[in-house]
């Protein structure tokens, strides 16, 4: 995974006061914090437009960002991963971001999405009418930052009814260690469940009574 360079600015004391984050967002910045590697946390602000342009058409999962930080006229660099993003639930705009410092030659823990291929084409679904049931959707891995995959892909075209794919079935590149329990299930094909709806007894009785009622009415007409 290649590194992405971005320019950021260290927040001053006034920008760390109460309600300062709201003012920064109004000015087009995203407040953020860099921490880790037993160093003091660093409060920064990121130009929202610049960040959106850099992240356009990219997966932010495990994206390595080279932070070029402007601090009182001095420039320094931090290599980071996105740790957490806080978003506005209505607008989905970024409210705050946390970054963790990393070293390119030191292993880091990362979370990687699992992409399942050929769900509808799998033997258990196509031939036996089974249903795909998902378990884990992400894997926790340990590796060098440069070796973090964007996602892990697994093809279940040959998966049959009643079979499962476990963590132990996933093969990753050399240098990547999967931390999850090997017995955890990622995906399986199960028999579909059928919902049987019974007709209320009242309706059945009503249907049975109708012919009897018609017969009585006809008998009454003959007597008249």
């Amino acid at each position: 995974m290649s590194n992405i360079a971005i320019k950021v600015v260290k927040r001053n004391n006034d920008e760390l006061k109460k309600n300062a984050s709201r003012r920064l967002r109004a000015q087009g910045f995203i407040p953020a914090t860099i921490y880790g590697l037993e160093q003091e946390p660093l409060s920064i602000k990121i130009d929202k437009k610049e960040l959106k342009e850099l992240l356009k058409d990219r997966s932010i999962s495990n994206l390595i960002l080279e932070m070029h930080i402007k601090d009182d006229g001095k420039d320094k660099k931090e290599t980071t991963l996105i740790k957490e993003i806080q978003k506005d639930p209505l607008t989905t705009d970024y409210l705050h971001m946390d970054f963790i410092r990393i070293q390119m030659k030191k292993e880091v823990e990362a979370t990687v999405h699992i992409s399942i291929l050929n769900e509808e084409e799998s033997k258990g679904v196509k031939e036996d009418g089974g249903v795909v049931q998902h378990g884990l959707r992400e894997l926790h891995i340990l590796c060098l930052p440069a070796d973090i995959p964007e996602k892990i892909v697994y093809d279940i075209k040959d998966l049959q009814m009643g079979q499962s794919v476990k963590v132990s079935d996933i093969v990753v590149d050399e240098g990547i260690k999967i931390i999850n329990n090997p017995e955890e299930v990622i995906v399986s094909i199960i028999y579909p469940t059928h919902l049987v709806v019974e007709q209320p007894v009242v309706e059945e009785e009503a249907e049975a009574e109708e012919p009897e009622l018609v017969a009585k009415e006809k008998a009454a007409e003959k007597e008249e």
Side-chain angles (χ1 to χ4, degrees):
M1 182 179 292
S2 58
N3 299 6
I4 306 298
I6 183 172
K7 295 180 180 180
V8 301
V9 179
K10 180 183 177 181
R11 284 186 273 168
N12 58 40
N13 291 333
D14 288 337
E15 293 170 334
L16 295 174
K17 293 179 180 178
K18 187 177 181 180
N19 296 324
S21 292
R22 185 180 300 175
R23 293 194 296 271
L24 283 173
R25 288 191 287 268
Q27 295 167 9
F29 292 100
I30 302 170
T33 304
I34 303 173
Y35 64 96
L37 294 181
E38 299 181 353
Q39 299 178 32
E40 288 293 322
L42 180 64
S43 298
I44 61 172
K45 59 182 180 181
I46 307 171
D47 185 283
K48 182 168 66 174
K49 288 184 179 180
E50 183 179 353
L51 182 67
K52 281 188 173 182
E53 187 63 30
L54 285 173
L55 298 184
K56 188 177 180 181
D57 299 326
R58 297 179 186 272
S59 170
I60 65 173
S61 176
N62 302 313
L63 187 66
I64 301 173
L65 293 171
E66 292 283 0
M67 298 276 193
H68 293 268
I69 306 164
K70 193 173 186 63
D71 180 7
D72 294 330
K74 300 178 181 179
D75 294 326
K76 64 178 181 178
K77 186 175 73 172
E78 297 269 20
T79 305
T80 68
L81 282 172
I82 298 173
K83 184 67 175 178
E84 184 179 357
I85 299 175
Q86 296 177 22
K87 292 184 178 181
D88 186 299
L90 297 178
T91 64
T92 69
D93 283 344
Y94 292 168
L95 300 178
H96 188 276
M97 300 180 71
D98 283 338
F99 298 87
I100 186 168
R101 297 182 179 97
I102 60 172
Q103 296 175 346
M104 296 304 292
K105 294 184 179 181
K106 185 177 180 180
E107 290 182 329
V108 295
E109 289 188 20
T111 301
V112 183
H113 174 71
I114 306 169
S115 178
I116 302 298
L117 302 181
N118 290 314
E119 291 190 19
E120 298 302 320
E121 296 299 316
S122 61
K123 291 182 178 179
V125 172
K126 195 171 183 179
E127 298 177 5
D128 300 319
V131 176
V132 175
Q133 184 177 57
H134 289 271
L136 288 180
R137 293 184 180 270
E138 295 177 330
L139 284 178
H140 299 292
I141 64 171
L142 181 68
C143 64
L144 294 175
D147 294 335
I148 300 174
E150 183 175 327
K151 59 184 176 181
I152 292 175
V153 179
Y154 195 92
D155 193 331
I156 63 169
K157 189 173 183 179
D158 294 327
L159 198 65
Q160 299 181 2
M161 179 72 77
Q163 292 184 331
S164 299
V165 176
K166 297 182 180 180
V167 170
S168 57
D169 298 316
I170 302 297
V171 178
V172 291
D173 293 339
E174 186 178 355
I176 299 177
K177 304 171 188 174
I178 299 177
I179 304 174
N180 298 76
N181 185 330
E183 293 302 309
E184 287 187 272
V185 175
I186 295 172
V187 66
S188 55
I189 298 182
I190 62 173
Y191 289 94
T193 56
H194 298 282
L195 180 62
V196 178
V197 180
E198 296 183 358
Q199 294 294 330
V201 177
V202 176
E203 291 183 10
E204 295 178 357
E205 291 177 351
E207 291 176 0
E209 289 173 356
E210 286 180 0
E212 183 179 353
L213 180 60
V214 172
K216 287 182 179 180
E217 289 178 349
K218 288 182 177 181
E221 289 175 359
K222 288 182 180 180
E223 291 177 358
E224 291 177 356

